[in-house]
Amino acid sequence: MAFEFTNSKGVKYYLHFKDVNLKGGRIQRIYFFARNVRDGSLDEVPEKFKVIETERTGMPILKKK
């Protein structure tokens, strides 16, 4: 089951990840929220991260603890 976050406006978001290739050949994992469950959904927030909500838009984002 994907990690679900409901913002202050009542909209549900689900946490996902994607591994991307950088120019130097290094692979970096990025995390993002989407309104629906897709491939790459995560069951829990990664260690050393916490979920916060942006004040202006209400979008959830991950922030290092």
Side-chain angles (χ1 to χ4, degrees):
M1 187 65 165
F3 176 80
E4 181 180 302
F5 178 83
T6 305
N7 69 1
S8 59
K9 298 177 182 182
V11 181
K12 292 182 182 180
Y13 292 93
Y14 301 95
L15 180 61
H16 297 80
F17 79 95
K18 184 177 184 179
D19 291 328
V20 294
N21 247 340
L22 302 178
K23 285 185 179 179
R26 187 171 67 101
I27 296 177
Q28 183 171 348
R29 179 164 285 186
I30 61 169
Y31 299 102
F32 62 96
F33 284 89
R35 288 187 179 183
N36 51 12
V37 179
R38 308 175 186 173
D39 289 339
S41 63
L42 292 172
D43 294 336
E44 58 186 31
V45 176
E47 199 173 310
K48 300 182 183 177
F49 285 93
K50 63 180 178 179
V51 179
I52 64 168
E53 183 178 330
T54 59
E55 292 179 19
R56 196 179 77 196
T57 63
M59 274 292 286
I61 56 174
L62 285 183
K63 184 175 182 177
K64 289 187 179 180
K65 288 184 181 178

